[in-house]
């Protein structure tokens, strides 16, 4: 069930680390009230014997309160016959996050989607980059589309500890985007109909958000997502590339062999029982960036926990979904129509 209004929402999970996964097109108002979410009622008192929570862990994020507010439209980026595209900012747990928003023409309110892009080097990233095809098509089909830039990207505020903290902040930024949409007060936005879509690294953000804040969204879609195990992503994308950040991560948290408890507590697969929303996963069989077995493993874990998950496989399709992208988006829009319309 969706949690409405300002009720408490269970929250917690880390962002999957992935350096090599990018999005499809990169590979070839008045201030509203602030909304908070928290995993526990404010009257909860922890047991004196309770083990201290690692601040970089899923339990830590489960206990954290989240705020998203002050969604502001900036300059117009484009006008089409179907929608207007704006630069936007919103507040997320004390940080200002930039992004792009497409608002359909016509009579609203419209259901809204948060888009989570794949990895693009923040040094070259520009607002809205990574999911241009999806932004356009979804807005043309009657969805308000908010593409978050994440912290440390474009005009967003900086978080110097984000990388060493396994990029937990990206998940917070997506949660903040949903809360800012929900209580923006804008007549074009139906804050009670929210969907989430992520590609590649952003697919990992989708996994995280579903276990961080179950009930915040109504449905979610992941395209060619990274592994649901952060250690596997580090090995696949960073360790093999001699990324110096890996040595820092190993020194701070220990390797999976040295500290298996830590790595279990930062994997969304550990917490699939928390998921409440239906999830659609798209993955190509020829994806040599994010192997399809990663999606098969996560789908099996969710299914085994009795969750609503569907894995669509595309024979011969690679990571960027070019030949089968139209078909995959038809399926995506049918999925969102069932759950958001």
């Amino acid at each position: 069930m969706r949690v409405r209004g300002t009720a408490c929402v269970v929250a917690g999970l880390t962002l999957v680390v992935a350096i090599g996964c990018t999005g499809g097109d990169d590979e070839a108002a008045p201030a509203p009230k602030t909304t908070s979410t928290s995993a526990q009622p404010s009257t909860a008192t922890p047991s004196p014997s309770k083990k201290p929570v690692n601040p970089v862990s899923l339990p830590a994020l489960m206990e954290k309160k989240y705020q998203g507010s002050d969604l502001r439209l900036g300059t117009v980026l484009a006008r089409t016959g179907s929608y207007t595209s704006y630069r936007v900012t919103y507040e997320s747990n004390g940080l200002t996050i930039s992004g792009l928003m497409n608002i359909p023409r016509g009579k609203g309110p419209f259901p809204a989607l948060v888009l989570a892009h794949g990895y693009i080097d923040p040094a070259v990233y520009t607002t809205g980059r990574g999911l241009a095809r999806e932004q356009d098509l979804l807005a043309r089909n009657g969805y308000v589309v908010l593409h978050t830039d994440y912290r440390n990207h474009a005009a967003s505020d900086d978080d110097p500890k984000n990388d060493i903290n396994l990029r937990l902040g990206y998940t917070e930024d997506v949660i903040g985007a949903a809360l800012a949409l929900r209580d923006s007060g804008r007549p074009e936005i139906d804050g009670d109909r929210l969907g989430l879509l992520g590609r590649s690294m952003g697919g990992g953000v989708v996994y995280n958000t579903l276990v961080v804040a179950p009930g915040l969204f109504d449905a979610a879609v992941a395209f060619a997502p990274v592994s649901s195990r952060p250690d596997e992503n580090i090995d696949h994308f960073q360790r093999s590339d001699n990324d110096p950040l890996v040595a820092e991560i190993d020194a701070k948290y220990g390797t999976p062999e040295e500290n298996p408890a830590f790595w279990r507590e930062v994997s969304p697969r550990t917490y699939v029982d928390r998921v409440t929303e239906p999830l659609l996963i798209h993955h190509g069989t020829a994806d040599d960036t994010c192997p399809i077995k990663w999606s098969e493993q996560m789908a099996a874990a969710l299914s085994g926990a009795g969750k609503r998950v569907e894995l669509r496989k595309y024979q011969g399709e690679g990571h960027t979904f070019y030949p089968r992208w139209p078909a995959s988006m038809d399926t995506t829009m049918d999925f969102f129509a069932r759950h958001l319309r």
Side-chain angles (χ1 to χ4, degrees), residues 185-261:
R186 298 197 62 87
E188 309 97 328
I189 300 171
D190 186 342
D192 286 332
R193 294 186 290 165
L194 297 180
L196 174 61
L197 183 150
R199 176 180 289 280
S200 197
M201 184 188 72
V205 178
V206 168
Y207 291 162
N208 299 337
T209 303
L210 296 183
V211 295
V212 168
L216 182 60
F217 290 95
D218 293 294
V221 175
F223 272 88
V226 294
S227 175
S228 54
R229 288 177 44 190
D231 59 306
E232 196 164 48
N233 289 315
I234 288 173
D235 287 345
H236 186 74
F237 296 111
Q238 295 174 268
R239 198 179 299 277
S240 62
D241 198 36
N242 296 315
D243 186 339
L245 181 63
V246 175
E248 295 182 53
I249 291 172
D250 287 347
K252 185 171 183 178
Y253 308 117
T255 66
E257 293 74 24
E258 294 166 341
N259 192 1

Side-chain angles (χ1 to χ4, degrees), residues 29-35 68-73 90 101 112 144 146 177-191:
K33 63 183 180 180
T34 297
T35 298
S69 64
D70 203 15
L71 179 65
R72 293 179 179 270
L73 272 61
Y90 62 94
M101 178 152 42
V144 170
L146 173 54
L179 296 175
L181 282 167
R182 194 166 71 182
D183 289 306
S184 70
R186 298 197 62 87
E188 309 97 328
I189 300 171
D190 186 342

Side-chain angles (χ1 to χ4, degrees), residues 81-99:
S82 301
Y83 63 85
T84 303
S85 183
Y86 301 87
R87 293 185 187 273
V88 297
T89 59
Y90 62 94
E91 301 302 307
S92 177
N93 276 26
L95 296 181
T96 298
I97 305 300
S98 64

Side-chain angles (χ1 to χ4, degrees), residues 12-15 51-62 166 168 208 211-212 228 230-231 259-271:
L13 214 351
T14 185
L15 173 63
K51 180 181 177 181
V53 172
N54 187 323
V56 182
S57 71
L58 309 187
L61 289 187
M62 292 172 190
L166 304 185
L168 292 170
N208 299 337
V211 295
V212 168
S228 54
D231 59 306
N259 192 1
F262 170 81
W263 292 100
R264 283 195 301 271
E265 290 185 347
V266 293
S267 168
R269 205 183 305 175
T270 305
Y271 298 91

Side-chain angles (χ1 to χ4, degrees), residues 273-308:
D273 61 309
R274 294 168 57 86
V275 175
T276 59
E277 295 83 359
L279 172 65
L280 171 63
I281 304 173
H282 299 287
H283 216 124
T285 62
D287 190 335
D288 57 5
T289 302
C290 294
I292 193 172
K293 68 179 181 180
W294 290 349
S295 288
E296 293 170 338
Q297 290 164 349
M298 186 57 166
L302 286 160
S303 180
K307 305 305 177 179
R308 293 172 292 172

Side-chain angles (χ1 to χ4, degrees), residues 20-85:
C21 286
T22 65
D25 61 358
D26 278 276
E27 282 186 309
K33 63 183 180 180
T34 297
T35 298
S36 301
T37 68
S38 174
Q40 299 178 357
S42 58
T43 56
T45 302
S47 167
S49 62
K50 184 178 179 181
K51 180 181 177 181
V53 172
N54 187 323
V56 182
S57 71
L58 309 187
L61 289 187
M62 292 172 190
E63 295 178 357
K64 191 168 186 175
K65 290 185 177 181
Y66 295 91
Q67 294 182 337
S69 64
D70 203 15
L71 179 65
R72 293 179 179 270
L73 272 61
T75 58
V76 172
L77 295 172
R79 297 186 191 275
T80 76
S82 301
Y83 63 85
T84 303
S85 183

